Amino acid sequence: MTKYIRRAAALCAVLLLALLLNATRVQVFQAGTYDGNPANRRQTIARYGQPRGDILVAGRPVTGSRDSGQQLRYERTYKDGPLYAPVTGFASQVYGTTFLENAEDGILSGSDPLLSPFPLWKEATHAQNPAGKVVTTIDPAAQRAAYRGLGSRRGAVAAVEPATGRILALVSAPSYDPGELSGTGAAVAHAWDRLNGAADKPMLNRAIRQTYPPGSTFKVVTAAAALDAGVVTDPDTSTTSPDPYRLPGTTTRLTNETEGCEDASLRYAFEWSCNTVFAKLGVDVGLSDMTRTAADFGFNDRGLRIPFSVAPSNFDTTLDKAQLALSSIGQFNTRATPLQMAMISAAVAGGGAVKTPYLVEKTTTRSDNTVSTTGPSTLHQAMNPATAARMRELMTDVVTEGTGTNAAIPGATVGGKTGTAQHGIDNLGTPYAWFISWAQADGAMEPAVAVAVVVEDAAADRGDISGGGDAAPIAKAVMEAVLGFRDGDRDTRRAGLPLGQDLYRSGVRTRPDQHRPPHGPPGPTAAGGTPTH
């Protein structure tokens, strides 16, 4: 009898050992496989079992959580959802996360081990940390000014602080309410289908994920390249530029929409946006120097993150001379995001250095203990400081007496560059209106903000579009908001117009193409011309 008891005990010990070995295999060696199995809902249930951390703008949360009482308990809520959607993105139980909700998901969901004071204990117990918080660099006044300025029009605005690269505004229009995608009900699926099927693409973040031909705003890059390369040594001497300019190796003639461009100086050509001068300058600078300068400003950078990814802006590196001429005035295959163009303006304002743009100031625990911080860093030196000083003069001239007078701000120095970019088959698409600028308050040590605005304005007549008319007033409102000028919407209020309505169409402002250069009114554009003023 004793022998059988011993055998039974030994068998039980073997079975117990087998159970322990199998448990170890499952819990340790195959834990990752089971955790990643789509059928395992434990992590998903735990993920939504506590309120999600907040995204903060100027110290105030623009996100929240709502207890749904369902299995996936807490749903994401948004304050001023359409205003901040290009920044926050969405957090959906069904469709996942985007933008900051995705890039900072570890902090916001509580899964980042840095949130735990005892990381090893957390790993051993699989305990859920309280969610942390993400503090953004966004200036709410600038964000709201940009959003109101665009109104019902399609377009985007990006604003950065030149000295640091902090992103002060990131707006895309039309927008959407990310709260519509929170939860698991049928309404979420209907909202998803509606938003993705909309012709105006409200979920497209035009500020960082859409590239446009930059038109004449790219002439900032071409002018900087010409000055740095020594092709132009004095901005007030003749550039020996014909009008019209025959593109090298072709019979195509490039013309202008303004007079006085033949043999014009760099200063005059920049003020009045002479296509012929800058096309020839690009060819004179040469492909190597043009591509290097464009890259130093940030073009062709596929690794830029803010912390979510940014679509790379494009300047072709294999061009013939005719293509280089067109690329040098922001046409052909040259394309840029609004954030990229804001970086160009910021480089001029910041002494030639392109600062790495960033959107997150810091992350913290729920009790406000700092987890991580982001500081300024230089991405590239786009031009030497002397060239940057020259470019600031040229951009200031555009606003004081050129095509950008609608951006002038009393009490501040403003530099800018207008652009009207053609696109589509045979350039028949509705042109994009651009304006890039920077502003420095009188008495301030350095510029406070650099802005880029693009207005698609697909409903407008081609003749009603200009960078100075459509885009400059929006940039002005954003700059005034950052500078702290409380009367940023004074022209709109004086006219009794709703925010975002076109000022020039209502007679409040004079269209910039009604301000004529001293050489007389613009002449007609010759066949083959590419207006990009």
Side-chain angles (χ1 to χ4, degrees), residues 205-463:
N205 191 337
R206 290 169 164 85
I208 54 104
R209 293 283 171 85
Q210 180 70 25
T211 59
Y212 302 86
S216 287
T217 56
F218 189 80
K219 291 172 183 174
V220 173
V221 177
T222 304
L227 289 166
D228 263 357
V231 172
V232 175
T233 55
D234 184 347
D236 294 305
T237 60
S238 170
T239 55
T240 317
S241 303
D243 184 11
Y245 173 62
R246 183 173 62 82
L247 298 180
T250 75
T251 59
T252 302
R253 296 182 307 156
L254 185 67
T255 59
N256 301 289
E257 289 198 341
T258 189
E259 291 187 350
C261 291
E262 183 175 0
D263 297 332
S265 67
L266 177 64
R267 187 182 304 277
Y268 181 89
F270 196 84
E271 285 181 26
W272 297 104
S273 212
C274 296
N275 292 330
T276 53
V277 173
F278 283 93
K280 184 176 182 296
L281 280 178
V283 174
D284 291 344
V285 169
L287 180 61
S288 177
D289 283 346
M290 281 297 301
T291 54
R292 182 170 58 250
T293 301
D296 286 343
F297 273 105
F299 282 81
N300 302 327
D301 184 350
R302 300 186 178 276
L304 183 63
R305 303 185 67 86
I306 61 170
F308 44 83
S309 62
V310 177
S313 298
N314 181 71
F315 186 85
D316 278 1
T317 58
T318 55
L319 300 168
D320 62 30
K321 289 186 176 181
Q323 295 166 342
L324 178 58
L326 293 176
S327 297
S328 299
I329 58 172
Q331 297 289 163
F332 191 59
N333 288 335
T334 304
R335 299 185 68 87
T337 62
L339 178 60
Q340 171 63 71
M341 299 313 295
M343 291 164 61
I344 289 174
S345 186
V348 173
V354 178
K355 297 296 184 179
T356 303
Y358 63 96
L359 189 56
V360 175
E361 196 82 70
K362 63 179 179 178
T363 60
T364 72
T365 64
R366 184 174 63 177
S367 56
D368 294 324
N369 294 318
T370 298
V371 174
S372 66
T373 60
T374 307
S377 64
T378 299
L379 189 63
H380 298 287
Q381 185 70 30
M383 57 192 140
N384 67 58
T387 296
R390 284 289 195 188
M391 293 306 305
R392 286 180 65 168
E393 290 179 18
L394 296 179
M395 292 184 74
T396 302
D397 290 344
V398 169
V399 174
T400 57
E401 54 189 75
T403 59
T405 54
N406 279 352
I409 300 174
T413 300
V414 177
K417 184 70 190 77
T418 57
T420 304
Q422 307 288 0
H423 68 101
I425 299 175
D426 295 327
N427 286 335
L428 295 178
T430 302
Y432 299 130
W434 278 96
F435 191 74
I436 64 173
S437 59
W438 52 266
Q440 178 175 346
D442 291 350
M445 296 295 293
E446 59 188 12
V449 59
V451 184
V453 178
V454 64
V455 179
E456 296 181 20
D457 210 352
D461 293 332
R462 290 172 62 88

Side-chain angles (χ1 to χ4, degrees), residues 82-87 138 142-151 155-159 167-175 204-208 338 452 454 474 478:
L83 174 64
Y84 291 109
V87 175
I138 293 293
Q143 185 81 0
R144 196 170 296 277
Y147 185 77
R148 289 176 174 177
L150 284 171
V157 178
I167 297 175
L168 304 178
L170 203 67
V171 171
S172 178
S175 189
L204 172 63
N205 191 337
R206 290 169 164 85
I208 54 104
V454 64
I474 301 172
V478 174

